[in-house]
Amino acid sequence: MRDRMLTADVPLGPFEGTKITVYSAKGKNTRLHVRKECGQLRTANVTTTEVPLNADVVGRFCSGCADWGPRARPTSGLGIFMGALGGLGLLYQLQAYVEPDEDVYWTQGEVRAAAELLRSKRDAADEDDEDDEDDDGRWETRREADELQEQVLSLWRHACGSLHRAQAVIAHFPWLTEWARPKLLAKEGYLETLRAQAALFVEPAGLVVAAAAATLETPPLPADDPAFAVLGNRSQISTGLSTLWRRWQYSAERGWEGPASRAIRRYDLVEGIRSNKKGHTEALEGAARLIQSWEDEARAAAAATDSTPTVWVTARLPEDTEEPSRGDTRDVLDDLDRWTLGVVVTWTVSADWSRRTLTLKVPTLVADRLLASSSALACERGAEAASAEAVPHAQPGSVRPGVFDDTAVFDRQPVTPDHLRALRNFSYAAHQLYIVFSTSGGAEVLPLDAIEKRVAQGWLGVIVAGASDLPESVISPWIKEVGLTPEVHEGPHPGRDSTRQDDRFGADVGLAAGAQVAVRWAQGERAKEQNLRLLAAARGVPDLRSLDTGRSSMMPLAVWEGLLASGPLDLTPFRPPSADRWLSGSSLPLGVLGQAQIYAANADPTFEGKGHSPLCRHTRDRGLAASDDLLTLADLLARDDWDWCSKCGGYAVRRLTDTQLSYYRAAHRLHAIAGQLDDERTHRVPVDPDALLKQLEELADWEPGGHEGCDWDGSWRWREVVRDLRRRAERKRRHTAS
């Protein structure tokens, strides 16, 4: 097992002296532990100490704690640095692929013999298509040679990936360069040994022929040849031959093996036709002749050009689509097809793996194909002098204290693309919401993808804190409060779960219910805390659509449900009176509810299809998308031709603030009183005018929080309705008394 321990000789750079918390037994020279629950800390009297991080402290770490180094918040500078070193990071990679593995090992002679065997078999097959490899166990020998070829190529790819990952870490933390140099030289030496072994299996002439095959135009196809009559009519024959050509060319341009490896393509032409059907054999022979003619044409095209490697090409490997911090282990060459791998292993002159840049010297035909837009590599012509060592490159911005949340905000430094790349690659908590500040946008809450896009466009700003960095003194009491609060169950119609006079009426669309929903299905305390931290960070975002990044894992569905309540609100109190007693309203003002946000997919009724809530099960991805529509409750009441989904209600409302929920309840109470005082109702129930007057007295004094004693939007209409209901209640009391 390779040693992944952080040792005292590892340079700490600008992080040396950073205060860390350690635990130990009592004693002057006892081992230090970064986790209080460390299995090697066997004492009941644990001492907690804050010490500066330095070589002496690292040297006293126990072996278990040294595997990952000191504990730090994963989105702080020190946390990112430790994430880059520990686990499968730099300390592991510097010890991997530096010498042959004793469990998987082969000699240079075995590799050379296997390569010669495969080449001789291919040459023999090209001359004679008869296969007699079963004689005298030769088939088993060929199988072993094939396996060795794939093992050598695979090991070379993994070694390239390991060197790339090691150099990429050092590029972000340049103070490690001198310390890691001897280990990198050992890796580079072993990588060159593997490359030379892998090159023995690759035929340069075959790569040139493959490049020539890729340039061939579709030849005339003999659709009138009677040999292909078994395929059907002329149109069917033409379609079959066109498919055969495409499949052959696809095979020919993606490898270096000879024609024998593609001869089997002739069976594609008679696919689905019984072998005993008349004309089957003739069609198969005709397909073989066609394939051989195409092979001859490709060879002729290759022979017409100089196969000597004379063209210098600078190639850049595809960027990472996977993230090492999330357990992705794809190698740097995994996105390349077999032909491109053969080119790289055969004609690479120098490589800068940290920048994913290769310098190649290739034949003309190969260069033309690499420079074509269809190549997997981003290539451009270069000169011999433009090698990886000769061309100056800008060093990536190193991660240091002051970039992320590990210093005072006043001293925070602007974030760069390199800083964000290090955060994404080396921190397991990178995908979350961040509070950022810039002079152009002020304080904002953004996901990592949105920050990266802005920085790429020249945005100048700092990361203040991530959701995981929100103060524990505020988050912990809230987590306990959410756990103790009785759960509010959302019904099919939010805001209508209980009677209008009930204090719990409308609670299912409030903020407290949103917090409960966010943790309802979370597995484990850590997941609950993560959801609540994301919820807290997102609650202040003006437009929730800005949180859409196309990464469903960044915002769990439970957090979206904590931000939004699906289903239609009961807006009857705010509608005008009508003849329909079920829909007749009281014309109450929307007031503080007027700007409450409504989110829907396909809200415009003039478009085909119904509108859906972002949380509707009929939508492809549950959660808000940047393309969803944003409305307000005022927009909702402005028209009556909405075409909503009957299952989800058509939209989701952003959970109401305490002030909005208070007004929503007050409006429903006032509307209920109006219904009780309506003498035109056919089924009236006895009412207590004194009780109604007392309720009206309470409702008359309703004011939004922070606006006490001031007029608020709709306050005049609210008071007018209350005065009218008071008069009606007074008349009913006098009538009852008489």
Side-chain angles (χ1 to χ4, degrees):
M1 181 176 178
R2 295 189 177 93
D3 186 5
R4 303 181 301 184
M5 291 175 52
L6 177 66
T7 54
D9 65 314
V10 178
L12 300 173
F15 296 105
E16 185 168 0
T18 301
K19 295 292 185 180
I20 62 171
T21 301
V22 295
Y23 309 92
S24 65
K26 291 185 177 180
K28 185 175 182 181
N29 295 315
T30 57
R31 287 290 182 184
L32 301 180
H33 308 266
V34 299
R35 295 178 297 117
K36 195 172 185 179
E37 61 275 14
C38 177
Q40 298 186 36
L41 182 57
R42 303 182 182 94
T43 179
N45 299 318
V46 178
T47 301
T48 303
T49 313
E50 190 176 72
V51 298
L53 180 63
N54 54 42
D56 293 337
V57 170
V58 172
R60 292 177 59 191
F61 283 160
C62 76
S63 58
C65 294
D67 270 351
W68 286 95
R71 270 193 170 181
R73 285 177 291 103
T75 55
S76 66
L78 180 59
I80 294 172
F81 181 48
M82 289 298 116
L85 293 179
L88 296 178
L90 180 64
L91 299 180
Y92 174 86
Q93 299 301 337
L94 288 179
Q95 300 176 71
Y97 303 103
V98 294
E99 60 184 0
D101 193 323
E102 60 183 12
D103 296 327
V104 182
Y105 178 68
W106 47 78
T107 65
Q108 182 73 14
E110 290 173 336
V111 173
R112 189 177 301 278
E116 291 176 354
L117 173 64
L118 294 178
R119 187 175 295 107
S120 64
K121 292 299 182 183
R122 283 195 290 264
D123 293 342
D126 290 346
E127 297 173 1
D128 183 7
D129 197 33
E130 296 296 327
D131 189 1
D132 60 351
E133 288 186 330
D134 285 334
D135 297 340
D136 301 325
R138 283 179 287 182
W139 181 89
E140 181 66 20
T141 305
R142 168 65 184 268
R143 185 187 64 80
E144 293 176 354
D146 282 330
E147 289 181 355
L148 182 56
Q149 172 183 258
E150 296 308 317
Q151 288 174 354
V152 172
L153 287 170
S154 177
L155 190 61
W156 169 69
R157 290 200 309 271
H158 293 330
C160 290
S162 177
L163 182 58
H164 159 66
R165 285 189 286 271
Q167 290 185 348
V169 172
I170 295 170
H172 285 289
F173 308 102
W175 56 88
L176 297 171
T177 302
E178 292 303 320
W179 168 79
R181 190 183 302 280
K183 301 177 178 64
L184 289 178
L185 290 175
K187 290 179 69 68
E188 290 170 356
Y190 183 55
L191 177 62
E192 176 56 27
T193 298
L194 291 175
R195 189 206 65 79
Q197 290 180 348
L200 294 175
F201 292 100
V202 181
E203 297 184 34
L207 295 172
V208 177
V209 172
T215 65
L216 297 181
E217 299 292 337
T218 304
L221 301 174
D224 296 323
D225 191 331
F228 304 117
V230 71
L231 301 180
N233 57 37
R234 192 179 191 281
S235 175
Q236 292 171 320
I237 295 173
S238 179
T239 300
L241 294 178
S242 296
T243 302
L244 178 64
W245 159 258
R246 289 194 302 271
R247 291 182 178 179
W248 172 85
Q249 188 176 44
Y250 182 86
S251 299
E253 66 186 21
R254 280 167 172 76
W256 58 79
E257 295 83 359
S261 64
R262 298 182 287 274
I264 197 172
R265 283 293 167 202
R266 64 185 184 271
Y267 291 99
D268 292 347
L269 187 64
V270 294
E271 185 178 1
I273 300 176
R274 299 192 315 272
S275 59
N276 61 354
K277 186 174 182 179
K278 183 179 179 180
H280 181 277
T281 303
E282 290 79 359
L284 203 58
E285 293 173 350
R289 290 193 299 272
L290 275 179
I291 290 176
Q292 186 59 49
S293 68
W294 300 335
E295 293 284 358
D296 294 340
E297 186 177 358
R299 288 183 174 181
T305 62
D306 186 4
S307 60
T308 305
T310 57
V311 182
W312 289 90
V313 173
T314 302
R316 182 169 178 80
L317 295 164
E319 291 293 337
D320 282 325
T321 56
E322 308 292 337
E323 297 169 28
S325 64
R326 314 186 92 184
D328 301 319
T329 56
R330 290 176 58 81
D331 287 321
V332 69
L333 299 177
D334 281 354
D335 291 330
L336 303 185
D337 58 46
R338 192 171 179 82
W339 179 84
T340 309
L341 280 175
V343 170
V344 172
V345 80
T346 303
W347 289 306
T348 296
V349 176
S350 62
D352 184 348
W353 293 106
S354 66
R355 300 182 181 89
R356 314 171 75 88
T357 303
L358 309 175
T359 301
L360 312 174
K361 189 178 183 182
V362 297
T364 303
L365 264 180
V366 174
D368 292 342
R369 182 175 174 185
L370 289 173
L371 295 170
S373 58
S374 59
S375 174
L377 300 174
C379 299
E380 59 182 15
R381 288 186 182 272
E384 182 176 0
S387 61
E389 290 79 5
V391 178
H393 295 281
Q395 290 292 333
S398 61
V399 177
R400 60 192 185 280
V403 176
F404 296 103
D405 185 21
D406 48 10
T407 60
V409 175
F410 182 82
D411 298 323
R412 202 63 51 83
Q413 299 297 313
V415 70
T416 68
D418 293 315
H419 296 150
L420 297 177
R421 192 174 300 113
L423 173 64
R424 182 185 289 279
N425 288 340
F426 308 131
S427 173
Y428 66 85
H431 287 288
Q432 56 174 298
L433 298 178
Y434 294 89
I435 302 172
V436 302
F437 174 78
S438 66
T439 56
S440 58
E444 302 173 271
V445 176
L446 297 172
L448 179 59
D449 286 23
I451 301 174
E452 288 175 325
K453 291 178 181 177
R454 290 194 181 186
V455 171
Q457 297 170 357
W459 180 78
L460 184 66
V462 300
I463 292 180
V464 178
S468 61
D469 303 319
L470 295 177
E472 188 73 13
S473 60
V474 176
I475 296 296
S476 288
W478 184 39
I479 294 175
K480 295 179 181 178
E481 178 186 340
V482 171
L484 295 174
T485 304
E487 187 172 348
V488 178
H489 296 282
E490 287 197 28
H493 302 292
R496 300 173 63 176
D497 284 353
S498 51
T499 64
R500 293 179 173 88
Q501 305 301 328
D502 195 327
D503 289 339
R504 293 176 298 170
F505 174 77
D508 51 338
V509 296
L511 296 178
Q516 294 169 10
V517 171
V519 301
R520 180 185 299 168
W521 306 113
Q523 300 295 321
E525 296 302 317
R526 182 174 178 178
K528 291 180 180 179
E529 179 179 347
Q530 178 186 7
N531 285 1
L532 288 177
R533 286 180 174 275
L534 288 172
L535 180 64
R539 278 181 168 175
V541 176
D543 185 349
L544 295 178
R545 296 176 299 178
S546 65
L547 303 182
D548 172 39
T549 64
R551 295 178 180 270
S552 58
S553 58
M554 194 281 292
M555 283 285 283
L557 177 61
V559 179
W560 285 120
E561 292 177 336
L563 293 168
L564 303 170
S566 189
L569 287 174
D570 184 358
L571 301 179
T572 305
F574 311 104
R575 301 185 186 279
S578 69
D580 187 339
R581 71 185 187 92
W582 297 108
L583 297 178
S584 180
S586 300
S587 292
L588 293 177
L590 279 172
V592 293
L593 290 174
Q595 296 305 309
Q597 293 180 345
I598 299 294
Y599 293 93
N602 194 30
D604 192 340
T606 62
F607 288 172
E608 184 178 359
K610 294 183 177 295
H612 292 274
S613 162
L615 306 178
C616 181
R617 296 183 183 274
H618 290 170
T619 57
R620 180 185 305 173
D621 297 315
R622 299 173 69 190
L624 264 180
S627 58
D628 286 342
D629 298 312
L630 172 59
L631 309 170
T632 63
L633 283 183
D635 298 327
L636 210 60
L637 288 177
R639 58 193 302 173
D640 57 5
D641 59 343
W642 303 106
D643 187 14
W644 301 126
C645 168
S646 60
K647 299 293 184 182
C648 66
Y651 60 83
V653 60
R654 185 165 185 171
R655 292 192 176 273
L656 303 183
T657 64
D658 293 342
T659 298
Q660 291 173 328
L661 182 57
S662 173
Y663 182 67
Y664 182 72
R665 289 170 170 167
H668 275 274
R669 289 180 62 191
L670 198 61
H671 178 63
I673 294 173
Q676 296 177 64
L677 295 174
D678 186 358
D679 294 331
E680 297 182 0
R681 282 198 171 185
T682 55
H683 301 286
R684 296 195 303 272
V685 295
V687 297
D688 182 357
D690 292 327
L692 294 182
L693 285 170
K694 183 178 179 181
Q695 294 179 38
L696 288 170
E697 188 69 25
E698 296 173 356
L699 293 172
D701 296 332
W702 188 92
E703 291 178 326
H707 295 77
E708 292 80 359
C710 303
D711 287 338
W712 44 276
D713 184 22
S715 60
W716 179 85
R717 173 59 185 163
W718 177 267
R719 298 188 184 106
E720 182 183 43
V721 172
V722 172
R723 286 194 297 268
D724 178 64
L725 293 177
R726 275 176 173 171
R727 288 192 294 267
R728 290 162 61 182
E730 290 286 356
R731 286 198 301 269
K732 188 172 285 292
R733 183 171 65 175
R734 289 193 298 269
H735 177 74
T736 302
S738 62

